Amino acid sequence: MEKLTIPKIEIDYENCDKEGLCIQVCPWVYERDSRDDFPIVAYPLACDFCGHCVAVCPTGAITHHELDMENFPQVEKELAIEADALQQLLRQRRSIRNYNQKRVVKRSVIEKMLEAARYSPTGSNAQSLEHIVVLGRENVAELVRLIIEDFRKELKLLEDIDVEKPMDPSEHKELKYWLSAYERLINGYDTGKDMMFYDAPGVIITHAPSALSTTPTPVPVEDATLASFHMMLMAETLGLGTCYIGNFYEKANESDAVRQFLEVPQENDILMSFSFGYPAIRFRRLVDRNPSKVQWIGAD
Ligand SMILES: Cc1cc2nc3c(=O)[nH]c(=O)nc-3n(C[C@H](O)[C@H](O)[C@H](O)COP(=O)(O)O)c2cc1C
C-alpha cells in the first residue's frame, strides 16, 4: 500500500475494554482520550501499517481498513518452537556448495520460502522488497555466464594495478585476495566448474526500489538480508540447502546484461542473492564459532 495513505482505523467502542494495549504498542498513533479514557486514533498519518494494534487487541475491537482483516489469525501456541530446537536449527544451517542434481525443488516448496520472506521486519515497515526466482540449471548457468563477463572486465582493471607500487599492506593483501578470487571464479567457469552458484538448481535474487525512487525503504540492504535469511531458515526446515552469494549481488546491480536478463526495473537495486537446492552432502555435526565478544553494561 502507498506509504502516504492516511489509513482509516476504526475502534468499536462497544467492544473496546479500555485496557489500552494499542496505545502501549503504538504510542505513535494511539492516545487515550482525556474525556472518557478510551483509546483514540490520534495520529493516523504516523501509522506504518504494521498491524500491531489489530494483533494485540484482546477483544478484536480495531478494524484497520488498509489491512486484510481476514489475515490476522490467532497465534497457535502448540506451534511454538522450543529454544533448544531453534538453537540447533540456527547452528546446523550451513552454506551449501554441493547440490543434488537429480532432485527438483517443487514450486510449492519455494512458495513456502517466499511466504517466510513476507514476515521479516523492514525499516519503517516499507515492505518494498521484490524477489526473482531463477529456476533450472540452464537459467542459472546463463546468469553465471553473464556475471562472469563482468568479472572478466573487472579482473582486467585489477591486473592493470601495479602490485609492486608502494601501497598500504592491507590494501595489497586485499588486492591479492580479490585477484585470486576473480581468477578462480573465471577459471572455474572456463573449465566447466560453477564457482558462483555451485551448480545450484535455483537462485533467489532480492531487489527493491532504490533510495531515489518514490517508495524507498530507508534500509534496503538490511531489509533484503533479513528477508533472505527468513527464506534460508525456512529452506532449512524443508530439507533444502542455501548459500548467500555476495560474489553475485555485489556485481549484479552494475551489470546491464544481468539486469536485463532478470528484468529488474530501472528504479530498483539488486540487493541480495542466495542459491538453493537439495544438498548432495549432509553435515553430521554442528560447527564451532568464536566466543561472543560482549560488553555488559548495567547487568549484575
Ligand atoms: C553476506 C554474505 C555473503 C556471502 N557470499 C558468499 C559467496 O559469494 N560465495 C560463497 O561461497 N559463500 C558466501 N557466503 C557464505 C559464507 O562464506 C559462510 O556463511 C561462512 O563461511 C560461514 O559458513 P556457514 O554459512 O556454513 O555457517 C556469504 C555469506 C554471507 C553472510
Side-chain angles (χ1 to χ4, degrees):
M1 90 267 332
E2 197 39 69
K3 281 307 297 186
L4 291 177
T5 306
I6 300 179
K8 190 168 161 219
I9 305 169
E10 278 179 298
I11 301 174
D12 172 1
Y13 288 110
E14 297 281 302
N15 270 328
C16 176
D17 65 0
K18 268 193 176 176
E19 197 182 341
L21 292 177
C22 49
I23 306 169
Q24 287 185 53
V25 298
C26 189
W28 285 98
V29 171
Y30 291 88
E31 264 182 15
R32 215 173 264 289
D33 193 325
S34 55
R35 292 162 301 179
D36 56 14
D37 229 23
F38 271 109
I40 50 166
V41 182
Y43 303 97
L45 188 57
C47 175
D48 71 7
F49 308 87
C50 69
H52 286 199
C53 55
V54 177
V56 80
C57 180
T59 60
I62 297 176
T63 303
H64 193 305
H65 288 275
E66 245 57 55
L67 300 174
D68 177 2
M69 297 304 293
E70 300 296 310
N71 204 11
F72 283 80
Q74 291 286 337
V75 173
E76 291 184 46
K77 287 201 184 110
E78 55 280 14
L79 291 181
I81 299 170
E82 198 254 321
D84 287 346
L86 178 60
Q87 184 70 307
Q88 171 159 299
L89 180 81
L90 296 172
R91 198 172 161 188
Q92 81 177 45
R93 180 213 50 80
R94 292 275 69 77
S95 290
I96 296 302
R97 301 185 178 92
N98 305 90
Y99 292 98
N100 182 335
Q101 297 304 321
K102 293 201 188 106
R103 209 163 155 203
V104 173
V105 187
K106 288 197 188 118
R107 195 182 164 121
S108 58
V109 171
I110 300 168
E111 278 167 352
K112 283 202 166 133
M113 291 158 62
L114 294 165
E115 186 65 3
R118 285 179 67 199
Y119 300 108
S120 65
T122 52
S124 301
N125 198 31
Q127 300 185 65
S128 59
L129 298 175
E130 299 173 43
H131 310 286
I132 300 166
V133 184
V134 181
L135 268 188
R137 275 308 303 150
E138 231 170 75
N139 287 321
V140 176
E142 177 60 3
L143 203 52
V144 179
R145 188 186 73 77
L146 295 173
I147 199 76
I148 286 292
E149 289 309 309
D150 288 279
F151 274 93
R152 285 190 210 282
K153 288 180 212 151
E154 188 94 6
L155 181 64
K156 260 189 153 329
L157 293 177
L158 286 185
E159 281 171 343
D160 286 347
I161 300 174
D162 180 4
V163 283
E164 300 310 325
K165 87 165 196 234
M167 64 173 91
D168 191 284
S170 66
E171 203 185 331
H172 192 255
K173 198 171 157 209
E174 200 180 326
L175 180 62
K176 288 194 110 168
Y177 173 87
W178 287 116
L179 268 170
S180 158
Y182 285 18
E183 275 165 5
R184 295 191 62 202
L185 273 166
I186 295 166
N187 290 343
Y189 178 78
D190 290 342
T191 54
K193 199 166 170 202
D194 176 6
M195 298 284 281
M196 179 63 70
F197 296 124
Y198 310 104
D199 294 318
V203 174
I204 294 185
I205 292 141
T206 299
H207 59 105
S210 72
L212 300 173
S213 71
T214 50
T215 54
T217 155
V219 279
V221 176
E222 291 84 344
D223 290 355
T225 310
L226 288 165
S228 305
F229 203 57
H230 266 216
M231 289 192 262
M232 290 162 86
L233 289 180
M234 178 55 86
E236 197 69 32
T237 71
L238 297 165
L240 291 168
T242 58
C243 185
Y244 269 125
I245 305 292
N247 283 334
F248 176 78
Y249 68 77
E250 282 170 1
K251 287 271 165 301
N253 200 43
E254 307 303 323
S255 166
D256 291 340
V258 168
R259 291 181 64 98
Q260 240 172 44
F261 177 73
L262 295 173
E263 297 179 24
V264 176
Q266 211 182 351
E267 65 277 15
N268 282 25
D269 285 335
I270 294 174
L271 301 163
M272 196 45 66
S273 56
F274 69 90
S275 54
F276 67 89
Y278 289 99
I281 299 170
R282 293 263 170 210
F283 290 89
R284 293 173 193 281
R285 290 176 184 269
L286 308 175
V287 301
D288 193 18
R289 283 285 186 265
N290 291 340
S292 307
K293 287 184 192 159
V294 184
Q295 184 189 3
W296 297 83
I297 296 175
D300 29 278

